[in-house]
Amino acid sequence: MDKNTELINKANEIIEKNRDIAEGDYYRLKYHIMPPTGLLNDPNGFIHYKGEYHLFYQFHPFDTTHGLKYWAHMKSKDLVHWEELPIALAPSKWYETHGCYSGSAVKNDGILTLVYTGNVKDEEGNRETYQCLATTEDGIQFSKYDNNPVMYNQPEGYTRHFRDPKVWKKDGLWYMVIGTQTVKEEGRVLLFKSKDLKDWELVGEVAGSNLNDLGYLGYMWECPDLFSLNGKDVLIFSPQGIEAKGDLYNNIYQSGYFVGKLDYSTGKMEHGEFIEIDRGFEFYAPQTTLDEKGRRIMFAWMGLPEREEHPTVEHKWIHAMTLPRVLELKGSKLYQKPVEELKLLRKDQVTYKDILIDNEEIILQKISGDVLELLVEFELEDANEFGIKLRCSEDGKEETVLYYDRNNEKFIFDRNKSGKGYKGIRRCKIPNTNILKLHIFMDRSSLEVFINDGEEVFTGRIYPSKESLGIKLFAKEGKVKIRNISKWNLE
Ligand code: FRU
């Protein structure tokens, strides 16, 4: 048996052994992508190919820790119903002995081609990093390119933290961004170009930490993604080493973006400030693709590195993907909207209109549950705080609170009383307007909250007990009107 088959069989064995244990977990999500067992991290190779969306992810089948990484593979016609396909990549070659790390997918003359990082570490902890190709004829079985790797280690001046190629084509040439750090430990994104995906030439530095008046933005930048939107260029990346500053950068690592203009001849991007993409807790390593409808769609890992103490580990699985979100640019700000196709999951609509809440907490008949979508439109009268409590227990001990603090003009996600798992509060400025629209996607153990048509998004995992299904609406020190609230169960 060849090494590849052997590694895939080994993974399949453990997946089948543990699948029922994972399936038996109440916290299993109902409409998000999750690993069958083991650990999921970055979305990889996201592409619309022959009318179907393919999404791969970083996968450690053997444990809920960051071990030997494979590429798991899913596909879908509608971004909502996903089919699990056989493992696409296993770390079987000399240039990837410690994992097939993150990367992207392109159509090269119609052939689906993966571009990824082969990660090698020896006993002394020395790292080698190789960029590699793999192709498929049938969209299921992948063959690694015979002359892999196509890039050996990093150019001079950078360390071997050099990985996560994102590739696209422009004016007949292939371009690739890679995340890295300088020998002085400053995060960087580099641009390369190629005629054939095989011979790559460095163009230059796109952006980096300590490169301009934005100052220090971390020691390592992972998972870059560069694309154009509304005539501007957007660089998404996941920097490590930025310190918390007030409401900003409170997670262990960040994911954010620059908007500007890339000079393809020098590689340099003129850009504005660094903006966090998501204001919640678990969100990292986003990756986008352009689909055949012309939408720029993003998935992200609904998890973070070095945060492996989620209650799901006792059921032998950890982490999930966010929902797919469409990106739009308004000025220099990214807006995120859940894809339209998610409406396919809706059933049992319940709607109420024009309810005044006056310094009180109310419950509405049939508005409760643990797998649902909620649209709430608040019209502020004179309350100082107002919002919604989700996953409330009858005794009032458990609740997850989403609310607006009018005096500080902040939206707040408080999971200190959410149940098991990591706790905390995240806040983000939302300038005072009379209307606050919340679009909430709740799954068994996740929340994604889109505010004011995607101006800000808060994502987080919560682990309440399964009896905590209550939903309450409240206003403090004054009144708020609910213009409209609609709820759907999702299936
Ligand atoms: C980001 C990351 C990538 C790397 C992958 C390994 O979460 O560290 O930089 O390619 O995960 O799984």
Side-chain angles (χ1 to χ4, degrees), residues 239-434:
Q240 302 185 316
I242 303 185
E243 271 182 36
K245 191 174 149 203
D247 295 337
L248 300 176
Y249 322 137
N250 282 287
N251 296 331
I252 178 165
Y253 303 129
Q254 279 61 54
S255 293
Y257 63 95
F258 292 142
V259 175
K261 194 83 208 145
L262 175 71
D263 181 336
Y264 276 84
S265 63
T266 61
K268 192 173 160 48
M269 181 174 179
E270 294 295 336
H271 60 79
E273 57 175 332
F274 175 68
I275 306 177
E276 277 178 291
I277 300 176
D278 192 282
R279 308 296 185 168
F281 300 93
E282 281 82 22
F283 184 95
Y284 199 66
Q287 187 177 88
T288 73
T289 196
L290 187 67
D291 78 352
E292 282 155 19
K293 296 179 183 154
R295 300 179 295 181
R296 179 59 59 176
I297 305 174
M298 176 181 77
F299 271 106
W301 171 23
M302 193 157 55
L304 284 169
E306 295 162 52
R307 289 288 179 273
E308 270 99 65
E309 282 162 37
H310 289 268
T312 58
V313 300
E314 58 180 274
H315 284 268
K316 301 198 180 293
W317 71 285
I318 189 167
H319 302 312
M321 220 46 96
T322 63
L323 290 175
R325 305 172 181 178
V326 176
L327 297 182
E328 283 162 18
L329 199 60
K330 291 195 188 160
S332 286
K333 183 150 174 43
L334 280 184
Y335 276 61
Q336 301 168 60
K337 299 210 171 104
V339 296
E340 284 287 311
E341 288 90 331
L342 285 160
K343 290 184 180 155
L344 293 168
L345 300 172
R346 288 177 173 179
K347 57 167 201 155
D348 314 327
Q349 181 172 350
V350 180
T351 297
Y352 293 88
K353 286 190 190 300
D354 298 327
I355 299 171
L356 191 74
I357 309 179
D358 184 358
N359 198 28
E360 63 189 326
E361 197 168 87
I362 66 159
I363 294 176
L364 297 171
Q365 280 271 315
K366 296 200 173 155
I367 304 262
S368 63
D370 57 0
V371 183
L372 52 86
E373 177 183 351
L374 272 171
L375 264 176
V376 196
E377 202 175 316
F378 294 96
E379 185 179 330
L380 178 60
E381 300 210 344
D382 57 0
N384 279 328
E385 270 180 19
F386 62 91
I388 187 162
K389 297 182 177 178
L390 305 167
R391 301 302 309 261
C392 304
S393 61
E394 293 209 341
D395 63 8
K397 285 193 181 143
E398 258 181 33
E399 59 183 25
T400 299
V401 194
L402 303 173
Y403 66 103
Y404 190 69
D405 168 348
R406 181 165 67 117
N407 298 320
N408 294 304
E409 298 184 292
K410 280 182 187 174
F411 186 83
I412 296 147
F413 178 169
D414 180 346
R415 68 173 180 187
N416 276 332
K417 288 164 71 184
S418 290
K420 297 184 197 161
Y422 295 102
K423 308 238 171 310
I425 295 181
R426 293 290 178 271
R427 297 184 179 84
C428 172
K429 185 109 186 161
I430 305 271
N432 231 332
T433 53
N434 268 355

